[in-house]
Each structure stands twice: as C-alpha cells, then as structure tokens.
C-alpha cells in the first residue's frame, strides 16, 4: 500500500509544480505588465455598456483623464466613486498598452434595472403611501437591493408599532427579476395584545416592584394599548437586569418568553429571573493602571470619595457614582485626562464578598488657556462668558466646564450649547483652551391665549416677548428692524402684554437686565394699566415700578422694590359700604419693599418634593403718597411624595400656609387681605373678610371690605387616575381674615377635584374642584364649584 501511495504522489507532483509555475508566471506577467503601464500617458477612455446613464455623468465622476499619467490607484478610485452613484450593478476597468506606448482605458458597465412598478399587496391596516413613503422606492428608480431589504425592515417596524407583532413582509422575486416589478407582499396577521405579565423566579422583590421597572403594559380598553413590542421587551429585560445589579445581585440572569394564544390575538409575557446571590463590598484597593502607587491621591482618600463603602451591598449604581466622584475630584485639581475604572474582584467560589479595585490613569495637570466663543452672530460675547467661572491662567476645574454649559443653557437664548476643552498646544504647554460653541435660537415670540376661571371670568392674552433684548441696539435701517437684527443681543427681557376680559382688562410693558453693570444683580422695571370689576365697584390703576433682585446660591433669592400707583374706584354700587366710598380716590400709593424667597421644589410641573418660602415686607407712605401703613406676609408651600405606583407615577401631599398682617396705619380696602374662591375653596371669591358698614339705612351688610390679619392653612393630596393625563385631588382648606390678630370666624372646608394635564395646553393643568364648607362665618357666601384653565392658541 505504501508503494501505491508513493507512485500516486510521484504522478501528481509534476502537475502541482506545473500549476504553481503557471500561476507564478501569470502573476509575474500581470505585475510586469502593470508596472509597464504606470506613468504612461492615457490616450483614450472608452465607456461600454451605457444605455440610460449619460456619458457626461461618468466623465464628471472619474479622475482618469486623457493626457494624464496612468495610475492603477486612480482607476480603482474611479470604480469606487461610480459604484456609489447607485446606477450600476457592476463596473470593471481595463488598461491596454497601445502600439504608440500610450494606455487605453476601457470602463465596462452593467446598469441597474429600472423598476417598472412598485406596489404593496395584502395591506389593510396601513396605506400604500405609509409603507412605501419611507423606502424612497418609486417607479423609475434603479433597483437597489439594499433599499429593498431596508424597506422590508421598515414595514415590519411600522406594523410592530401598531401592535401587529406577527406581520411578515416579503417580495415577489420572480416578478422583480422577470418584469422589473417590485411587489411587497404583506401578511398582516392579527393584532397581538398583551393580556398578562408574569414574573418567575423573583424571590427578593415582589412582582409589583418589578412591574414599575418595565414599560410593557397589559391591554386596557381605550386607555392602555398593550401592544406586544419585541424591542420594548428587550429593553425591559435590560431594565430588570440593571435593577437587580444596582442592588447587589451581580450574577442575575433575566430573560423573557412569549406565549401566544391559539387565535394569535393575545399574548402572555413571562419574565424569567435567576437572581443569584447578593454581594457585599470587601476590601477597597487603588493603584495606577500599571499597578504602581498613586501620586495625587492616596488609596484611602479615594476610598473616602466613594459612595460605596466596605460592608455595603455592592450596588452597580453606586459604583458608577463612585467612579464619577473620583474622576471629578481629579478634574477639580486640573487633571483633565484622568481615567478611572472600578472592578469587582471575586474571592473564593461561593463567597458573597467582592473586593473593589480602583485603577487610575492620573494624567497631567493643566491650567486654563484662552476661552473662545463661536456661533453667536447677535448675542454679545459677554452674555455668554458671564456665567463661565473659568479664568485664563488659573488651574483648571473640569466641573466648571459642565457648570458653564448648564448656566448658558439656562439663559434660554440658544438651541445648542457645547463647551469642550481643547488639546494642549505645542506652543503653550501646560495650558488647555476652552471652546464654547452656541447656536442662537429665535428668542422673540408673539403669543395668544385665553384663560377662564371662577374668580377672574374670561381673560384673553396677547403678548410680545423678546428674551434677548438690547435697548441700545437701535436699528440703522428699516430693513434691519424688519429682519430682527436690531434690539437684540444683550440678554435683556422685554415684554408687552395685553389682557382683555369681561372682568379684568390690563396692559403693561416690562424690561429687565439680568446682570446690571456686569454685577450679579438683576434690575427690572414695569408699567401699565389695570382695571378690575368687582361686585360693588371697579378698580383702576395706572402703575409703574422697579425691582432689584439677587440670587444667593441655588435656593435663595432676595429682592428690593419700589412701586407707584394711581388708584381710583369707579362705578360704586348704590348702598355700598362707607369704607369703599372713603377709598374712592384717586390716591397715590408709593411703597418700598423687600422679599426673601427660598425654593427647593424639584420641578415646576407636578412637583414631588421640596418647598417654597416667601417672606415680604412693604412700607407705604414713608416719603411720598397718600397712603401710610406697613404690610408683612409669609407664605409656605411644601410637597411630599407619599406613594409611587407600579407605573412610576407619584402621589403627593401639598401643604400650604399663609400669614399676613397690616399695621402702623390704615390701609384702604383695595390693599387689605381677602380669602375665598380659589384661595379658600368652598366660599365665594373674596367673601372671607370683615363686612362693611352700609352707606344708606337698610343697605347690604354682607359686602366684604378686607381685613388686616390673614391666616390660611391647607392640605391637598393628589394622585394619578388615568395615565399622565388625569389626576384626582382631595383637599382641606381653612383660614380667616379679620381686623385684629386672632382666630375669630375661622372657616373650614373639604372637597375633591380633578386636574387635567394636556401637553398642548402647556404645563399648567385645568383644575376643577368641588368644595363643601364645614365651618362658616356670618354673612358668608358659599361656592361649591370652582375652576381655572388656560388655553394657548
């Protein structure tokens, strides 16, 4: 047998050597021929296979030219560029040596098919335009298999969003290859809705808690679509995995399975969880990436900066926070390129303890170089530079980079803000420049709206605002004014507001400078006209005033103000109280006041925690005016999160308290305190107040004239009812207004209501409340239903 193999090998070997020789010889010839053509002039370019694509389009997209030296790399680049045009299924180029020593280039093209027709069949839920529109495929388009495959994916995605999880999309290959007709064949299948969600294997956390971590919901008529979404399920699996790892379960494994009903219309989603052991933190060690000792911080210092401590549950979220804390600490000392990584190091098998290893690449320290601002064509540089706390020449604090970005964004003058630290320049070692890039937005707006409420009637609003105003940027031409290139760029706030209504009519103009004379103080001024129709008279005011405010830190604001108003009471009803006739006026009211406000509320819309305290003092008539008295007032509002449901919605308790007192003189009726309406539900607007003395015998004795002492205490519990749209409230309002400090004629009411949140109407909800008075005073007028709403349009 060995002899047979030897004979066979000797017979095959010459053939193998001959084949290798031919390949080597052929390759050598090709290489030699290519080398012979390089740098020879191109004398002719021929295009073969073109039918519908014009030759000029090809010539415009190739770099090989007649008369230029031949380069194989240039020819290959031509093929690459022509392929990207999408007009050809294949392209070849051939270089031929001619008898005169020049090179002839021949390009061979195979054009793409043109689609004679594009259509969709089998679709009932989605229209042809909805399916074909995103694909870009039309009659006369070149056949592009990539676009066709993407179109299939996009169609499946469109059906998936509608809940048709089992939809299949394919194309008719025979029609496409034979007749150039592209037909998308759709089998929609039934709409699959999630009817049940189960969790299997969860022993440490109840199902209700885990449901709050997923977005898949069971179907509920008209309120929850409950569509089966494979991508959402994948996101839910990731969310559950993160939830467990954030609580120390490093070995958790999460998966999901779907059970489809026999009619393929309903689905049951089961999340499978293998929790594993819960780990705690052991020793914490820190070194450089190379395993060497640290230079800037000691290992003990880094351990102290971490929110994760020895003995704690190993929480992935605290690991991330610890990593950020360490990196920010290096950045605060000028080490901008520091890299920090935290690793869990497991001990022996079965041990519930993991050590934490901190690895740091400390990098080099840097100082601040130049601060360059780009992108602002209208806004002045100083408006952008003002909130930046980085100074050239000083040590870098990387935390101030993010603070600068946030502060510039909070000005609401720009759509996009980027603050980036540049690399060190060879000409200026040790210094890093800062590039601030902004994209200005349209800061002017003309707004229309209407509001209505049980206290104020129907009130329209037309306002013109400019949040980047510049009072000194006077236009040089009328065209500059029309194009919005004037009166802009200084960051001033300017507004003109006109409010016509059946009970209130007003207009005013205001202007404020956020940083007067480049100081942290804001100076603002306002003036206008106000008329309000009350039950027994009409109040008219012409007013003007100025205020200086200063923010201290993130929560404190102080304000000093001066106001003047000319006030007159008109259309006084016959038999109105003597006090109203005495205040008829006109009278000049000049007051100077101060306020201190502390706010920690987490957000403006649906706040869940925090409080607001507003303390104010006003003096009337100290140096001018017809009125002389002092007024103090304090208001408190606090929010407390009570519960969070499995959908992540929060129920909150709101607590309100107000106290006010007028002393040192006699205040007119229009400057005194009142409660009622929306300020104390269950009672008519402004009727919780002392009543006046009739001006005629037998006149009404139930007309309010205001009081010098105000006290209000209230609480409201708000909880979600329907998604993010409707909330319900239960409330208790109480308070009194009297001439002297005390608790006489104390009122108390209980009630319920709803809050309607519509994104189209802005962040303010429509409020509708029913209140039932429990404790009332003499001559009080009760009001069961009260409401308020604002509608922009």
């Amino acid at each position: 047998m060995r002899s047979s193999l030897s004979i066979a090998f000797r017979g095959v070997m010459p053939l193998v050597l001959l084949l290798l020789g031919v390949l080597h010889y052929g390759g050598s010839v090709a290489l030699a021929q290519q080398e012979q053509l390089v740098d020879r002039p191109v004398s002719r370019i021929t295009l073969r296979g073109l039918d519908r694509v014009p030759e000029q389009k090809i010539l415009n997209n190739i770099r090989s030219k007649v008369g230029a030296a031949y380069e194989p790399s240039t020819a290959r680049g031509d093929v690459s560029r022509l392929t990207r045009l999408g007009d050809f299924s294949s392209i070849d180029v051939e270089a031929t040596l001619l008898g005169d020593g020049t090179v002839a280039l021949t390009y061979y093209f195979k054009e793409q098919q043109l689609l004679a027709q594009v259509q969709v069949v089998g679709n009932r839920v989605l229209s042809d335009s909805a399916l074909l529109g995103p694909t870009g495929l039309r009659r006369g388009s070149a056949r592009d298999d990539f676009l066709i495959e993407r179109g299939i994916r996009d169609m499946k995605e469109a059906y998936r969003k509608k809940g048709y999880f089992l939809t299949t999309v394919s194309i008719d290959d025979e029609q496409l290859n034979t007749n150039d007709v592209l037909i998308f064949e759709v089998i929609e299948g039934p709409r699959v809705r999630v009817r049940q969600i189960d969790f299997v294997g969860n022993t440490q956390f109840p199902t209700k808690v885990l449901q709050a971590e997923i977005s898949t919901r069971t179907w509920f008529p008209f309120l929850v679509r409950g569509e089966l979404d494979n991508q959402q399920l994948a996101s839910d699996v990731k969310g559950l995995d993160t939830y467990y790892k954030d609580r120390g379960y490093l070995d958790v494994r999460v998966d999901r399975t779907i059970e489809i009903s026999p009619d393929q219309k309903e689905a049951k989603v089961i999340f499978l969880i293998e929790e594993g052991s819960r780990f705690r933190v052991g020793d914490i060690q820190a070194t450089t990436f190379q395993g060497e000792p640290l230079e800037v911080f000691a290992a003990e210092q880094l351990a102290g900066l971490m929110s994760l401590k020895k003995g704690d549950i190993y929480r992935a979220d605290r690991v991330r926070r610890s990593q950020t804390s360490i990196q920010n600490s290096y950045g605060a000392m000028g080490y901008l390129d520091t890299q920090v990584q935290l690793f869990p190091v497991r001990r022996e098998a079965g041990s519930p303890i993991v050590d934490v290893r901190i690895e740091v690449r400390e990098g080099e320290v840097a100082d601040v170089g130049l601060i360059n601002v780009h992108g602002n064509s209208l806004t002045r540089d100083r408006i952008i530079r003002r909130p930046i706390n980085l100074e050239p020449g000083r040590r870098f604090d990387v935390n101030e980079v993010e603070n600068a970005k946030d502060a510039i964004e909070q000005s609401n003058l720009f759509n996009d803000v980027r603050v980036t630290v540049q690399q060190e320049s060879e000409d200026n070692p040790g210094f890093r420049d800062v590039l601030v890039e902004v994209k200005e937005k349209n800061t002017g707006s003309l707004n229309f709206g209407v509001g209505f409420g049980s206290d104020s009637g129907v009130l329209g609003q037309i306002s013109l605002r400019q949040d980047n105003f510049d009072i000194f940027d006077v236009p040089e031409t009328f065209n500059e004014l029309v194009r919005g290139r004037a009166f802009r760029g200084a960051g001033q706030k300017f507004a003109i507001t006109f409010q016509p209504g059946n009970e209130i009519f007003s207009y005013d103009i205001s202007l404020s400078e956020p940083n007067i004379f480049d100081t942290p103080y804001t100076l603002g001024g306002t003036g206008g006209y106000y008329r309000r129709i009350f039950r027994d008279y009409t109040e008219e005011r012409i007013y003007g005033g100025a205020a200086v405010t200063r923010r201290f830190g993130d929560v404190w604001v102080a304000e000093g103000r001066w106001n003047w108003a000319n006030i007159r009471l008109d259309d006084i009803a016959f038999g109105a109280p003597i006090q109203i006739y005495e205040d008829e006026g006109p009278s000049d009211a000049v007051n100077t006041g101060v306020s201190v406000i502390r706010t920690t509320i987490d957000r403006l819309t649906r706040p869940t925690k925090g409080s607001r305290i507003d303390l104010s003092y006003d003096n009337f008539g100290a140096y001018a005016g017809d009125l002389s008295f002092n007024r103090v007032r304090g208001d408190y509002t606090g929010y407390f999160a009570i519960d969070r449901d499995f959908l992540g919605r929060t129920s909150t308790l709101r607590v309100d308290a107000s106290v006010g007192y007028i002393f040192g003189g006699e205040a007119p009726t229009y400057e005194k305190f009142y409660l009622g309406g929306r300020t104390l539900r269950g009672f008519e607007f402004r009727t919780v107040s002392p009543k006046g003395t009739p001006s005629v015998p037998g006149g009404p004795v139930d007309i309010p004239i205001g009081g010098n002492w105000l006290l209000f205490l209230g609480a409201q519990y708000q909880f979600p009812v329907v998604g993010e749209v409707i909330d319900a409230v239960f409330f208790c309002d109480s308070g009194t207004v009297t001439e002297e400090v005390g608790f006489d004629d104390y009122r108390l009411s209980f009630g319920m209501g709803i809050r309607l949140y519509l994104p189209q109407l802005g962040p303010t909800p429509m409020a509708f409340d029913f209140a039932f008075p429990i404790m009332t005073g003499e001559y009080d007028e009760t009001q069961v239903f009260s409401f308020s709403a604002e509608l922009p349009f």
Side-chain angles (χ1 to χ4, degrees), residues 510-621:
S510 64
L511 175 67
S512 67
E513 167 59 65
N515 297 89
I516 187 69
F517 305 126
D518 288 325
T519 67
Y521 294 91
T522 297
L523 174 64
T526 184
Y529 171 81
Y530 172 85
R531 185 180 74 224
R532 174 68 195 256
I533 300 175
F534 293 105
R535 168 183 166 182
D536 300 287
Y537 61 89
T538 299
E539 176 186 328
E540 292 185 349
R541 291 176 181 245
I542 299 174
Y543 61 90
V548 177
T549 60
R550 166 83 188 267
R551 177 173 289 278
F552 297 90
D554 296 329
V555 299
W556 290 96
V557 176
E559 177 187 270
R561 57 184 172 273
W562 175 89
N563 292 294
W564 165 86
N566 181 267
I567 309 166
R568 182 170 67 94
L569 305 185
D570 197 4
D571 299 330
I572 301 176
F574 177 77
I578 295 174
Q579 292 85 349
I580 294 178
Y581 277 103
E582 292 175 347
D583 298 332
E584 181 178 6
S587 301
D588 288 328
V590 179
N591 77 288
T592 304
V594 294
S595 295
V596 177
I597 302 172
R598 182 182 185 275
T599 305
T600 59
I601 296 176
D602 59 347
R603 57 193 182 192
L604 294 177
T605 305
R606 286 179 170 163
T608 61
K609 62 181 180 179
S611 63
R612 175 185 171 90
I613 300 174
D614 188 345
L615 306 175
S616 64
Y617 165 77
D618 284 281
N619 169 265
F620 287 78

Side-chain angles (χ1 to χ4, degrees), residues 6 134 226 251 275 303 343 427 450 525 598 713:
S6 175
D251 295 333
E275 294 175 330
F343 303 97
D427 300 330
V450 62
R598 182 182 185 275
L713 298 172

Side-chain angles (χ1 to χ4, degrees), residues 450-459 766-768 787-791:
V450 62
F452 52 90
S454 51
D455 292 353
S456 59
V458 180
L459 183 66
M766 301 175 69
F768 305 92
F787 63 94
S788 67
E790 296 179 7
L791 305 176

Side-chain angles (χ1 to χ4, degrees), residues 24 173 266 359 442 518 600 749 774 789:
H24 180 268
D173 291 316
E266 297 178 353
E359 292 188 359
N442 183 12
D518 288 325
T600 59
S749 67
I774 305 300

Side-chain angles (χ1 to χ4, degrees), residues 383-388 400-419 436-441 443 467 493:
I383 305 301
I384 303 171
R385 294 178 183 273
R386 185 182 292 149
I388 301 176
E400 290 297 339
V401 175
E402 191 63 31
N403 293 341
K405 179 178 181 297
D406 294 339
I408 296 172
E409 287 177 340
Q410 288 172 7
S411 68
N412 293 321
L413 303 180
F414 310 100
N415 283 325
D416 186 26
V417 178
R418 297 181 183 179
V419 181
V436 181
E437 299 173 286
V438 298
K439 184 178 180 181
E440 293 178 317
K441 70 178 182 181
T443 52
D467 292 334
K493 311 295 182 184

